[in-house]
Amino acid sequence: MKSIGVPLLVNPSLPEDEATVLQKILASYQSTAYLRVGDQVLDLAVQQDVDQLRNADGQMVQIVADGGADAGELLTAVHSELVKRKCCY
């Protein structure tokens, strides 16, 4: 398991279909990934879970990738997508 903690920016600007983009990223890897905000676990492939990031502005988020040799690469891909969407640094 690999993880990284990042602070969310205030008022993250996530598009309405962000889970679709994250699903495509997840499909490219053998590992799985999810987000942890406090004690909540958010599924990256479920839009309702991704939408909850809008309510978590300024909080620390842990990106977790697990399950295969490519977990580090998946972690980097998810982090890069969140940075691209201006959700975190």
Side-chain angles (χ1 to χ4, degrees):
M1 175 171 53
K2 306 234 182 227
S3 67
I4 183 174
V6 294
L8 284 180
L9 297 175
V10 176
N11 298 321
S13 58
L14 288 167
E16 295 298 320
D17 63 343
E18 183 62 16
T20 304
V21 173
L22 291 168
Q23 285 174 354
K24 290 177 184 175
I25 292 171
L26 293 171
S28 303
Y29 295 90
Q30 293 177 342
S31 298
T32 59
Y34 60 90
L35 299 177
R36 175 169 255 131
V37 181
D39 50 353
Q40 283 186 312
V41 175
L42 304 178
D43 185 343
L44 292 170
V46 176
Q47 187 63 47
Q48 290 176 342
D49 283 6
V50 173
D51 287 343
Q52 290 184 37
L53 291 177
R54 290 186 184 99
N55 301 325
D57 56 349
Q59 294 185 41
M60 286 296 292
V61 173
Q62 186 178 22
I63 306 166
V64 181
D66 195 10
D70 61 358
E73 294 171 18
L74 176 56
L75 183 70
T76 301
V78 171
H79 179 252
S80 296
E81 175 63 21
L82 294 178
V83 169
K84 176 181 164 186
R85 299 294 184 189
K86 297 183 174 134
C87 291
C88 64
Y89 298 105

XYZ file of all heavy atoms in Angstrom:
669
model
N 0.848 -1.169 0.000
C 0.000 0.000 0.000
C 0.894 1.232 0.000
O 1.870 1.307 0.721
C -0.910 -0.005 1.218
C -1.731 1.244 1.321
S -3.038 1.255 2.570
C -2.217 0.798 4.043
N 0.546 2.178 -0.828
C 1.244 3.452 -0.908
C 0.223 4.547 -0.656
O -0.923 4.426 -1.048
C 1.863 3.637 -2.288
C 2.753 2.494 -2.712
C 4.081 3.006 -3.104
C 4.910 1.814 -3.566
N 6.184 1.787 -3.023
N 0.659 5.611 0.007
C -0.261 6.720 0.248
C 0.497 8.032 0.301
O 1.709 8.059 0.519
C -1.049 6.510 1.542
O -0.184 6.585 2.648
N -0.245 9.096 0.082
C 0.292 10.441 0.168
C -0.807 11.321 0.757
O -1.977 11.156 0.431
C 0.755 10.967 -1.208
C 1.381 12.348 -1.086
C -0.381 10.994 -2.195
C 1.995 12.862 -2.376
N -0.425 12.222 1.638
C -1.382 13.164 2.212
C -1.195 14.526 1.579
O -0.066 14.990 1.433
N -2.285 15.144 1.179
C -2.230 16.468 0.560
C -3.368 17.317 1.111
O -4.446 16.807 1.397
C -2.344 16.394 -0.984
C -1.154 15.700 -1.593
C -3.616 15.700 -1.414
N -3.132 18.618 1.262
C -4.234 19.490 1.673
C -5.065 19.894 0.465
O -4.523 20.202 -0.592
C -3.510 20.704 2.269
C -2.194 20.740 1.550
C -1.846 19.308 1.234
N -6.373 19.850 0.621
C -7.245 20.341 -0.447
C -7.231 21.863 -0.428
O -7.123 22.479 0.624
C -8.680 19.866 -0.242
C -8.995 18.428 -0.581
C -10.466 18.141 -0.308
C -8.679 18.122 -2.022
N -7.351 22.445 -1.582
C -7.488 23.886 -1.680
C -8.906 24.287 -1.280
O -9.819 23.463 -1.310
C -7.197 24.353 -3.104
C -5.779 24.100 -3.616
C -5.671 24.510 -5.070
C -4.768 24.863 -2.787
N -9.092 25.526 -0.920
C -10.430 26.019 -0.613
C -11.191 26.160 -1.925
O -10.648 26.629 -2.928
C -10.340 27.365 0.132
C -11.726 27.936 0.376
C -9.599 27.180 1.446
N -12.436 25.722 -1.933
C -13.297 25.754 -3.114
C -12.686 25.026 -4.307
O -12.455 25.620 -5.360
C -13.646 27.195 -3.512
C -14.405 27.913 -2.445
O -15.262 27.340 -1.791
N -14.075 29.173 -2.238
N -12.399 23.722 -4.171
C -11.842 22.984 -5.315
C -12.802 23.009 -6.490
O -14.012 22.904 -6.319
C -11.656 21.565 -4.779
C -12.498 21.463 -3.570
C -12.662 22.856 -3.033
N -12.254 23.177 -7.676
C -13.082 23.285 -8.885
C -13.087 21.955 -9.627
O -12.305 21.734 -10.523
C -12.549 24.397 -9.788
O -11.207 24.139 -10.134
N -13.978 21.085 -9.214
C -14.105 19.775 -9.848
C -15.210 19.811 -10.880
O -16.309 20.283 -10.600
C -14.446 18.714 -8.802
C -13.333 18.331 -7.847
C -13.905 17.523 -6.698
C -12.275 17.541 -8.564
N -14.955 19.298 -12.080
C -16.028 19.217 -13.071
C -17.080 18.195 -12.637
O -16.810 17.323 -11.818
C -15.316 18.781 -14.349
C -14.006 18.264 -13.922
C -13.689 18.835 -12.587
N -18.258 18.309 -13.190
C -19.372 17.432 -12.818
C -19.106 15.956 -13.109
O -19.692 15.093 -12.489
C -20.648 17.870 -13.546
C -21.145 19.234 -13.136
C -21.529 19.302 -11.665
O -22.123 18.339 -11.155
O -21.215 20.323 -11.033
N -18.223 15.674 -14.065
C -17.961 14.280 -14.447
C -16.564 13.825 -14.041
O -15.967 12.981 -14.694
C -18.172 14.097 -15.941
C -17.191 14.928 -16.766
O -16.584 15.873 -16.218
O -17.020 14.624 -17.957
N -16.034 14.343 -12.955
C -14.676 14.009 -12.539
C -14.517 12.513 -12.265
O -13.472 11.939 -12.547
C -14.273 14.819 -11.308
C -12.852 14.593 -10.865
C -11.795 14.995 -11.900
O -12.100 15.731 -12.858
O -10.649 14.560 -11.749
N -15.520 11.847 -11.740
C -15.412 10.411 -11.466
C -15.176 9.627 -12.752
O -14.456 8.628 -12.748
C -16.654 9.898 -10.748
N -15.741 10.081 -13.868
C -15.523 9.409 -15.151
C -14.055 9.481 -15.548
O -13.473 8.488 -15.999
C -16.391 10.056 -16.248
O -17.757 10.008 -15.838
C -16.236 9.346 -17.569
N -13.449 10.634 -15.355
C -12.022 10.797 -15.652
C -11.197 9.899 -14.737
O -10.277 9.203 -15.188
C -11.596 12.276 -15.483
C -10.102 12.437 -15.627
C -12.336 13.165 -16.470
N -11.534 9.875 -13.460
C -10.795 9.042 -12.510
C -11.003 7.558 -12.800
O -10.078 6.758 -12.640
C -11.206 9.389 -11.087
C -10.748 10.780 -10.624
C -11.440 11.176 -9.323
C -9.236 10.838 -10.469
N -12.189 7.159 -13.268
C -12.439 5.766 -13.642
C -11.507 5.337 -14.770
O -10.979 4.228 -14.762
C -13.883 5.564 -14.094
C -14.883 5.544 -12.984
C -16.316 5.497 -13.508
O -16.573 5.591 -14.705
N -17.260 5.369 -12.589
N -11.301 6.218 -15.741
C -10.403 5.904 -16.858
C -8.972 5.737 -16.368
O -8.249 4.860 -16.841
C -10.474 6.997 -17.917
C -11.789 7.007 -18.672
C -11.855 8.141 -19.670
C -13.214 8.191 -20.333
N -13.374 9.327 -21.226
N -8.568 6.569 -15.425
C -7.228 6.435 -14.854
C -7.118 5.107 -14.114
O -6.159 4.355 -14.309
C -6.916 7.617 -13.917
C -6.779 8.915 -14.726
C -5.645 7.349 -13.106
C -6.676 10.163 -13.889
N -8.101 4.794 -13.276
C -8.081 3.547 -12.500
C -8.049 2.316 -13.399
O -7.397 1.319 -13.073
C -9.295 3.472 -11.569
C -9.346 4.492 -10.435
C -10.694 4.445 -9.748
C -8.232 4.255 -9.440
N -8.736 2.366 -14.533
C -8.806 1.223 -15.441
C -7.459 0.896 -16.073
O -7.243 -0.223 -16.532
C -9.843 1.490 -16.526
N -6.550 1.846 -16.053
C -5.241 1.652 -16.671
C -4.245 0.942 -15.758
O -3.122 0.683 -16.167
C -4.646 3.010 -17.073
O -5.514 3.684 -17.936
N -4.652 0.645 -14.537
C -3.736 0.069 -13.549
C -4.337 -1.184 -12.935
O -5.554 -1.328 -12.869
C -3.445 1.094 -12.443
C -2.710 2.307 -12.952
C -3.410 3.418 -13.423
C -1.331 2.348 -12.992
C -2.748 4.527 -13.909
C -0.656 3.447 -13.475
C -1.368 4.528 -13.934
O -0.708 5.633 -14.410
N -3.454 -2.062 -12.440
C -3.908 -3.250 -11.726
C -4.304 -2.907 -10.296
O -5.186 -3.535 -9.726
C -2.804 -4.308 -11.695
C -2.479 -4.893 -13.034
C -1.337 -5.879 -12.945
O -0.580 -5.895 -11.976
N -1.200 -6.710 -13.959
N -3.639 -1.938 -9.713
C -3.915 -1.532 -8.338
C -5.245 -0.785 -8.260
O -5.808 -0.384 -9.277
C -2.804 -0.614 -7.828
O -1.575 -1.289 -7.821
N -5.721 -0.593 -7.049
C -6.922 0.195 -6.812
C -6.532 1.415 -5.981
O -5.487 1.426 -5.337
C -7.986 -0.622 -6.049
O -7.431 -1.046 -4.802
C -8.436 -1.821 -6.854
N -7.379 2.429 -5.998
C -7.093 3.640 -5.237
C -8.384 4.196 -4.656
O -9.469 3.973 -5.192
C -6.421 4.682 -6.119
N -8.232 4.888 -3.558
C -9.354 5.578 -2.923
C -8.814 6.781 -2.169
O -7.605 6.948 -2.024
C -10.134 4.638 -1.993
C -9.318 4.052 -0.865
C -9.217 4.709 0.364
C -8.653 2.842 -1.006
C -8.467 4.172 1.401
C -7.913 2.296 0.021
C -7.821 2.963 1.225
O -7.075 2.431 2.244
N -9.720 7.628 -1.709
C -9.354 8.803 -0.929
C -9.863 8.631 0.484
O -10.937 8.051 0.703
C -9.967 10.074 -1.520
C -9.571 10.444 -2.933
C -10.323 11.693 -3.373
C -8.085 10.677 -3.030
N -9.120 9.139 1.424
C -9.548 9.134 2.817
C -9.554 10.588 3.297
O -8.532 11.263 3.239
C -8.612 8.276 3.656
C -8.943 8.336 5.128
C -8.186 7.286 5.908
N -9.198 6.268 6.219
C -9.063 4.985 6.038
N -7.965 4.498 5.548
N -10.018 4.166 6.366
N -10.710 11.060 3.728
C -10.863 12.404 4.283
C -11.365 12.221 5.710
O -12.504 11.802 5.916
C -11.864 13.256 3.478
C -11.986 14.644 4.073
C -11.463 13.338 2.020
N -10.507 12.498 6.677
C -10.863 12.204 8.068
C -11.068 10.708 8.210
O -10.214 9.912 7.830
N -12.237 10.305 8.675
C -12.523 8.871 8.784
C -13.451 8.386 7.677
O -13.952 7.277 7.724
C -13.076 8.519 10.166
C -14.226 9.408 10.605
O -14.522 10.388 9.909
O -14.826 9.116 11.653
N -13.669 9.216 6.644
C -14.465 8.820 5.484
C -13.558 8.225 4.410
O -12.477 8.743 4.149
C -15.153 10.023 4.850
C -16.357 10.530 5.553
C -17.009 11.620 4.718
O -16.343 12.529 4.250
N -18.312 11.512 4.526
N -14.016 7.160 3.780
C -13.329 6.579 2.638
C -14.173 6.882 1.403
O -15.364 6.568 1.364
C -13.150 5.050 2.805
C -12.551 4.445 1.556
C -12.281 4.751 4.016
N -13.545 7.540 0.424
C -14.254 7.946 -0.785
C -13.780 7.127 -1.971
O -12.579 7.029 -2.224
C -14.016 9.441 -1.054
C -14.383 10.392 0.074
C -14.041 11.820 -0.322
C -15.840 10.275 0.450
N -14.719 6.558 -2.696
C -14.433 5.771 -3.887
C -14.251 6.725 -5.065
O -15.151 7.508 -5.382
C -15.591 4.810 -4.146
C -15.342 3.850 -5.286
O -14.426 4.095 -6.115
O -16.070 2.851 -5.369
N -13.114 6.659 -5.713
C -12.807 7.558 -6.826
C -13.692 7.325 -8.038
O -13.822 8.198 -8.888
C -11.344 7.403 -7.234
C -10.323 7.885 -6.217
C -8.934 7.448 -6.626
C -10.394 9.381 -6.073
N -14.298 6.162 -8.141
C -15.111 5.830 -9.306
C -16.580 6.196 -9.116
O -17.389 6.001 -10.020
C -14.989 4.342 -9.622
N -16.943 6.739 -7.972
C -18.343 7.086 -7.684
C -18.462 8.606 -7.604
O -17.831 9.234 -6.758
C -18.800 6.438 -6.356
C -20.213 6.860 -6.004
C -18.686 4.925 -6.433
N -19.264 9.185 -8.489
C -19.356 10.649 -8.564
C -19.822 11.261 -7.242
O -19.328 12.304 -6.843
C -20.295 11.066 -9.702
C -20.308 12.556 -9.960
C -18.957 13.105 -10.409
O -18.321 12.544 -11.281
N -18.522 14.199 -9.805
N -20.747 10.631 -6.541
C -21.223 11.167 -5.261
C -20.085 11.275 -4.256
O -20.025 12.227 -3.481
C -22.342 10.314 -4.692
C -23.628 10.420 -5.476
C -24.693 9.485 -4.945
O -24.407 8.531 -4.226
N -25.932 9.749 -5.308
N -19.176 10.295 -4.263
C -18.023 10.350 -3.359
C -17.066 11.464 -3.767
O -16.578 12.221 -2.928
C -17.276 9.015 -3.337
C -17.989 7.958 -2.508
O -19.123 8.221 -2.044
O -17.422 6.876 -2.325
N -16.801 11.582 -5.063
C -15.903 12.623 -5.556
C -16.490 14.005 -5.257
O -15.770 14.935 -4.885
C -15.615 12.442 -7.066
C -14.818 13.602 -7.618
C -14.876 11.126 -7.306
N -17.817 14.135 -5.361
C -18.478 15.404 -5.065
C -18.256 15.843 -3.617
O -18.275 17.039 -3.323
C -19.978 15.312 -5.339
C -20.304 15.280 -6.818
O -19.434 15.653 -7.646
O -21.436 14.870 -7.160
N -18.041 14.903 -2.725
C -17.826 15.239 -1.320
C -16.536 16.028 -1.111
O -16.378 16.683 -0.085
C -17.827 13.979 -0.462
C -19.197 13.354 -0.364
C -19.218 12.157 0.554
O -18.541 12.141 1.574
N -19.997 11.152 0.192
N -15.632 15.983 -2.078
C -14.402 16.772 -1.965
C -14.699 18.264 -1.953
O -13.952 19.045 -1.366
C -13.439 16.439 -3.112
C -12.823 15.058 -3.085
C -11.959 14.852 -4.318
C -11.994 14.866 -1.827
N -15.794 18.660 -2.576
C -16.167 20.077 -2.581
C -16.483 20.573 -1.176
O -16.349 21.754 -0.870
C -17.364 20.306 -3.494
C -17.039 20.147 -4.949
C -18.248 20.534 -5.819
N -17.948 20.288 -7.212
C -18.338 19.206 -7.881
N -19.043 18.275 -7.290
N -18.011 19.061 -9.151
N -16.931 19.676 -0.317
C -17.274 20.034 1.060
C -16.096 19.871 2.013
O -16.228 20.165 3.193
C -18.441 19.167 1.551
C -19.669 19.324 0.689
O -19.940 20.407 0.182
N -20.400 18.242 0.489
N -14.983 19.381 1.508
C -13.819 19.107 2.362
C -12.704 20.113 2.125
O -11.552 19.842 2.441
C -13.324 17.686 2.101
N -13.050 21.278 1.575
C -12.010 22.238 1.221
C -11.159 22.624 2.432
O -11.647 22.806 3.528
C -12.596 23.478 0.543
C -13.654 24.190 1.360
O -14.104 23.634 2.373
O -14.013 25.307 0.970
N -9.856 22.659 2.193
C -8.897 23.004 3.227
C -8.484 21.847 4.121
O -7.565 21.984 4.914
N -9.133 20.704 4.019
C -8.807 19.549 4.853
C -7.680 18.726 4.231
O -7.419 18.806 3.035
C -10.028 18.653 5.041
C -11.138 19.286 5.833
C -12.254 18.290 6.081
O -12.010 17.125 6.376
N -13.484 18.743 5.944
N -7.055 17.912 5.053
C -6.054 16.973 4.553
C -6.768 15.767 3.952
O -7.743 15.266 4.510
C -5.132 16.492 5.680
C -4.142 17.526 6.134
S -2.960 18.009 4.846
C -1.995 16.528 4.659
N -6.277 15.339 2.808
C -6.822 14.174 2.113
C -5.678 13.190 1.913
O -4.575 13.577 1.537
C -7.409 14.568 0.740
C -7.808 13.349 -0.054
C -8.590 15.481 0.921
N -5.956 11.935 2.167
C -4.965 10.899 1.935
C -5.377 10.138 0.676
O -6.495 9.632 0.588
C -4.900 9.954 3.131
C -3.804 8.937 3.040
C -3.741 8.057 4.272
O -4.717 7.914 5.000
N -2.601 7.460 4.504
N -4.474 10.106 -0.290
C -4.687 9.318 -1.496
C -4.008 7.978 -1.241
O -2.813 7.940 -0.924
C -4.071 9.987 -2.737
C -4.575 11.422 -2.894
C -4.378 9.173 -3.988
C -3.775 12.249 -3.889
N -4.748 6.893 -1.366
C -4.221 5.565 -1.059
C -4.343 4.685 -2.295
O -5.397 4.615 -2.919
C -4.989 4.914 0.117
C -4.422 3.552 0.446
C -4.971 5.831 1.336
N -3.246 4.023 -2.658
C -3.243 3.058 -3.767
C -2.727 1.735 -3.220
O -1.773 1.701 -2.453
C -2.362 3.555 -4.906
N -3.369 0.655 -3.618
C -3.054 -0.646 -3.052
C -3.324 -1.741 -4.073
O -4.150 -1.571 -4.970
C -3.941 -0.877 -1.825
C -3.463 -2.024 -0.956
O -2.351 -2.525 -1.174
O -4.217 -2.419 -0.054
N -2.616 -2.842 -3.938
C -2.978 -4.025 -4.684
C -2.049 -4.491 -5.774
O -2.284 -5.524 -6.371
N -0.995 -3.795 -6.092
C -0.132 -4.266 -7.158
C 1.180 -3.520 -7.221
O 1.416 -2.563 -6.490
N 2.004 -3.986 -8.131
C 3.326 -3.384 -8.297
C 3.241 -1.968 -8.859
O 4.169 -1.182 -8.712
C 4.167 -4.264 -9.221
N 2.114 -1.627 -9.478
C 1.966 -0.295 -10.068
C 1.249 0.696 -9.142
O 0.802 1.753 -9.576
C 1.245 -0.378 -11.406
C -0.158 -0.956 -11.308
O -0.582 -1.348 -10.197
O -0.840 -1.013 -12.344
N 1.174 0.387 -7.849
C 0.473 1.259 -6.896
C 1.092 2.653 -6.852
O 0.373 3.650 -6.788
C 0.456 0.631 -5.506
N 2.405 2.734 -6.895
C 3.066 4.035 -6.873
C 2.739 4.863 -8.099
O 2.524 6.082 -8.005
N 2.666 4.228 -9.243
C 2.319 4.928 -10.484
C 0.870 5.412 -10.452
O 0.567 6.520 -10.899
C 2.541 4.008 -11.686
C 3.992 3.647 -11.908
C 4.158 2.569 -12.966
O 3.217 2.343 -13.756
O 5.223 1.945 -12.984
N -0.025 4.579 -9.926
C -1.426 4.972 -9.809
C -1.571 6.139 -8.841
O -2.296 7.099 -9.110
C -2.283 3.788 -9.352
C -3.766 4.076 -9.090
C -4.443 4.675 -10.314
C -4.478 2.815 -8.644
N -0.868 6.075 -7.740
C -0.883 7.162 -6.765
C -0.466 8.476 -7.418
O -1.124 9.510 -7.257
C 0.049 6.820 -5.604
C 0.111 7.797 -4.455
C -1.183 7.774 -3.665
C 1.274 7.448 -3.561
N 0.587 8.424 -8.208
C 1.068 9.606 -8.917
C 0.036 10.107 -9.923
O -0.195 11.315 -10.039
C 2.395 9.293 -9.633
O 3.352 8.882 -8.655
C 2.918 10.490 -10.389
N -0.607 9.197 -10.633
C -1.607 9.586 -11.642
C -2.814 10.268 -10.996
O -3.297 11.282 -11.499
C -2.047 8.362 -12.445
N -3.295 9.727 -9.882
C -4.442 10.327 -9.198
C -4.053 11.692 -8.633
O -4.785 12.669 -8.785
C -4.982 9.398 -8.089
C -6.024 10.109 -7.239
C -5.573 8.129 -8.699
N -2.884 11.771 -8.019
C -2.408 13.050 -7.472
C -2.278 14.084 -8.586
O -2.709 15.228 -8.439
C -1.084 12.861 -6.738
C -0.536 14.128 -6.184
N 0.556 14.747 -6.726
C -0.949 14.893 -5.144
C 0.801 15.853 -6.039
N -0.090 15.966 -5.074
N -1.715 13.691 -9.713
C -1.554 14.613 -10.839
C -2.900 15.123 -11.342
O -3.033 16.293 -11.693
C -0.793 13.936 -11.987
O 0.510 13.625 -11.592
N -3.902 14.243 -11.386
C -5.244 14.653 -11.822
C -5.832 15.674 -10.849
O -6.423 16.669 -11.272
C -6.166 13.435 -11.945
C -7.599 13.760 -12.281
C -7.796 14.428 -13.631
O -6.930 14.324 -14.513
O -8.857 15.068 -13.805
N -5.671 15.450 -9.554
C -6.204 16.396 -8.569
C -5.477 17.737 -8.635
O -6.099 18.787 -8.467
C -6.128 15.793 -7.166
C -7.023 14.583 -6.914
C -6.817 14.040 -5.508
C -8.484 14.921 -7.147
N -4.176 17.703 -8.900
C -3.426 18.946 -9.065
C -3.904 19.663 -10.326
O -4.118 20.884 -10.327
C -1.906 18.676 -9.115
C -1.143 19.915 -9.558
C -1.399 18.192 -7.768
N -4.080 18.910 -11.391
C -4.553 19.484 -12.669
C -5.903 20.182 -12.498
O -6.145 21.239 -13.067
C -4.664 18.360 -13.694
C -5.229 18.766 -15.024
C -5.308 17.548 -15.943
C -6.203 17.769 -17.123
N -6.371 16.542 -17.897
N -6.769 19.605 -11.677
C -8.108 20.163 -11.426
C -8.085 21.244 -10.338
O -9.123 21.735 -9.934
C -9.089 19.077 -11.022
C -9.287 18.020 -12.074
C -9.937 18.601 -13.293
N -10.199 17.530 -14.235
C -10.608 17.730 -15.461
N -10.802 18.943 -15.907
N -10.817 16.727 -16.269
N -6.887 21.570 -9.865
C -6.699 22.605 -8.844
C -7.433 22.268 -7.545
O -8.028 23.136 -6.902
C -7.088 23.975 -9.371
C -6.223 24.389 -10.523
C -6.545 25.770 -11.004
C -5.519 26.121 -12.044
N -5.968 26.703 -13.230
N -7.389 20.978 -7.173
C -7.957 20.541 -5.905
C -6.922 20.583 -4.796
O -7.248 20.752 -3.633
C -8.468 19.110 -6.005
S -9.901 18.964 -7.043
N -5.650 20.373 -5.174
C -4.570 20.353 -4.201
C -3.290 20.821 -4.861
O -3.256 21.055 -6.056
C -4.397 18.955 -3.606
S -3.889 17.707 -4.810
N -2.258 20.925 -4.067
C -0.958 21.366 -4.586
C -0.209 20.210 -5.187
O -0.347 19.107 -4.834
C -0.106 21.974 -3.467
C -0.722 23.196 -2.853
C -1.309 23.146 -1.615
C -0.702 24.394 -3.546
C -1.868 24.272 -1.045
C -1.263 25.533 -2.977
C -1.844 25.448 -1.722
O -2.405 26.571 -1.178
